[in-house]
Amino acid sequence: MSPKGDPPISVIKRLPVYLRVLDNLVKRDIEVVSSKTLSKETGFTAEQIRKDLAFFGAFGTRGTGYTTNYLREIILRIIGLDKQTNVAIIGAGHLGTAFARYNVRENPYTNVVGLFDVSPDIVGDEVEGVPIYHLNELEDVIKHERVQVGVITVPAVHAQEIVNRLVEENVNAILNFAPATLNAPENVRIHNVDLTIELQSLIYFARDQIDEGETD
Amino acid sequence: MSPKGDPPISVIKRLPVYLRVLDNLVKRDIEVVSSKTLSKETGFTAEQIRKDLAFFGAFGTRGTGYTTNYLREIILRIIGLDKQTNVAIIGAGHLGTAFARYNVRENPYTNVVGLFDVSPDIVGDEVEGVPIYHLNELEDVIKHERVQVGVITVPAVHAQEIVNRLVEENVNAILNFAPATLNAPENVRIHNVDLTIELQSLIYFARDQIDEGETD
DNA sequence: GGATGTGAATTGGTTCACAGCA
DNA sequence: TGCTGTGAACCAATTCACATCC
């Protein structure tokens, strides 16, 4: 049946893409989809999609494809989005508030319970219905709201300190936007998104193209 | 000397991390650094760091390490950050403006020349000194300001249309924040950053931890 | 017939182990 | 001696090819 040990992280990162496409298909009342169609909609190869899904079981029908809504629910369960996940965003600057708005509006599967900041100008305000707490209240709110995921959008110098506080409160999944290398115990999962890195690594390829254009 | 063909993309994505650390070291007047120290500061293994750098040449001194400022300049040149890169941000919503502010303030190596939007409420405004143009002006500004990189922060339904317009103007490096699968010619490089995907794939691991905690 | 599910082959990336040099 | 640079060994991930089943 479903084989091997843990699924590789590369597979896990593709699941939300499948979910996004399946959400669309369900909305458009398309009831069955082949790995070939999913390939066109996701940009991944059909074989890869079948292998990815096969990690968790056999959900398709040979000769037909996958039932969109069924597959969608399977993936929700695999990721863990069938149960509510509570998220805290630490840092209510432009990036933190943008992230909050984006997820409250576009991401029905997670629940942003609060933003945290130290600036008296904004503590007490709301962003898209989400309260901005003072950073002092972090531990209390994590406990009361049962926060499972922390999102760090504070300046790099303060990021490690926030990680330590989150870990102390048993928040072991952290999304970090600060340009810093963070340390945490083995069992804590940190995903780093560094906007500068994304932009800079892209510039490598932009330059390439220009060079090619100039060559010859 | 520097071997093999093209460097793998995984190497390219680590270069900006080295750059960030080297910037810090240079600021702290540390003149020499070993791959072991770089390992601690970046989270990558020392062997990997040496291999990465070896792709582009031999920049270290055996028995000593790397000269921080020299290595920094080498990496700047490899990425292409020694010359100015002009960036346009399409979509001046919360995410677009946050990205603009972030890069204007924190990223000295790139130059955000403009934001673009269709909302009359904000067209004509400035964000951190960067003008917000009407989307109609996109092609003109790209030509005049010699834009090499486009950043897409528009809603998913409009993203493909923007890609087409950028490609038409020979912008062949695109950073896409819209949750959509985009099509472009082979020679155009698109990096996707999907904030929902990052959050959702993290939730997979948050759930794991809870399960483990509950087991036995 | 047509699409899934999967072993086998291949490719790509990382780690190991050590030779080479200041 | 100490740290870089790199071939070899290893491991992970993707692609290929096809048997399997509706």
Side-chain angles (χ1 to χ4, degrees), chain A residues 30 38 65 78 86 89 92 104 126 148 163 167 170 178 209:
Chain A
I30 294 165
L38 284 175
I78 294 170
N86 297 320
I89 300 173
V104 170
E126 286 194 353
Q148 294 136 287
V163 169
V167 169
N170 296 308
Q209 307 295 344

Side-chain angles (χ1 to χ4, degrees), chain A residues 11-45:
Chain A
V11 174
I12 301 301
K13 288 244 177 168
R14 283 192 291 267
L15 294 179
V17 182
Y18 302 145
L19 182 60
R20 189 193 78 214
V21 169
L22 288 166
D23 275 346
N24 274 328
L25 293 171
V26 169
K27 249 178 240 156
R28 286 156 57 199
D29 287 319
I30 294 165
E31 292 180 6
V32 174
V33 67
S34 68
S35 59
K36 202 177 156 195
T37 303
L38 284 175
S39 169
K40 240 194 295 190
E41 298 283 329
T42 61
F44 309 131
T45 67

Side-chain angles (χ1 to χ4, degrees), chain B residues 1-99:
Chain B
M1 221 149 274
S2 64
K4 302 122 203 171
D6 279 351
I9 200 179
S10 48
V11 175
I12 301 301
K13 288 244 177 168
R14 284 191 289 266
L15 293 179
V17 182
Y18 302 145
L19 182 59
R20 190 194 77 212
V21 169
L22 288 166
D23 275 345
N24 274 329
L25 293 171
V26 169
K27 249 177 239 156
R28 285 156 58 199
D29 287 319
I30 295 164
E31 292 181 4
V32 174
V33 67
S34 69
S35 59
K36 200 176 156 196
T37 304
L38 284 175
S39 170
K40 240 194 295 191
E41 298 283 328
T42 60
F44 309 132
T45 66
E47 300 90 320
Q48 191 166 56
I49 292 168
R50 295 203 298 275
K51 266 250 154 85
D52 284 357
L53 298 177
F55 237 107
F56 305 98
F59 308 118
T61 310
R62 290 169 197 233
T64 310
Y66 303 88
T67 308
T68 50
N69 196 49
Y70 174 62
L71 188 57
R72 179 181 152 274
E73 286 178 0
I74 292 286
I75 291 178
L76 280 177
R77 206 168 318 145
I78 294 170
I79 302 180
L81 294 171
D82 53 333
K83 300 166 206 143
Q84 176 164 302
T85 305
N86 297 320
V87 177
I89 300 173
I90 301 91
H94 294 285
L95 188 56
T97 52
F99 186 81

Side-chain angles (χ1 to χ4, degrees), chain A residues 15-117:
Chain A
L15 294 179
V17 182
Y18 302 145
L19 182 60
R20 189 193 78 214
V21 169
L22 288 166
D23 275 346
N24 274 328
L25 293 171
V26 169
K27 249 178 240 156
R28 286 156 57 199
D29 287 319
I30 294 165
E31 292 180 6
V32 174
V33 67
S34 68
S35 59
K36 202 177 156 195
T37 303
L38 284 175
S39 169
K40 240 194 295 190
E41 298 283 329
T42 61
F44 309 131
T45 67
E47 301 90 319
Q48 190 166 58
I49 293 168
R50 295 203 298 275
K51 266 248 155 84
D52 283 358
L53 299 177
F55 238 107
F56 305 99
F59 308 117
T61 311
R62 291 173 198 231
T64 310
Y66 303 88
T67 306
T68 49
N69 197 50
Y70 174 63
L71 187 56
R72 179 181 152 274
E73 286 177 0
I74 291 287
I75 292 177
L76 281 177
R77 205 168 319 145
I78 294 170
I79 302 180
L81 294 171
D82 53 332
K83 300 167 207 142
Q84 176 166 301
T85 305
N86 297 320
V87 177
I89 300 173
I90 299 93
H94 294 285
L95 188 56
T97 53
F99 187 81
R101 281 178 210 276
Y102 186 82
N103 274 284
V104 170
R105 286 205 286 231
E106 310 281 337
N107 183 356
Y109 300 116
T110 54
N111 182 31
V112 180
V113 300
L115 288 135
F116 295 84
D117 211 293

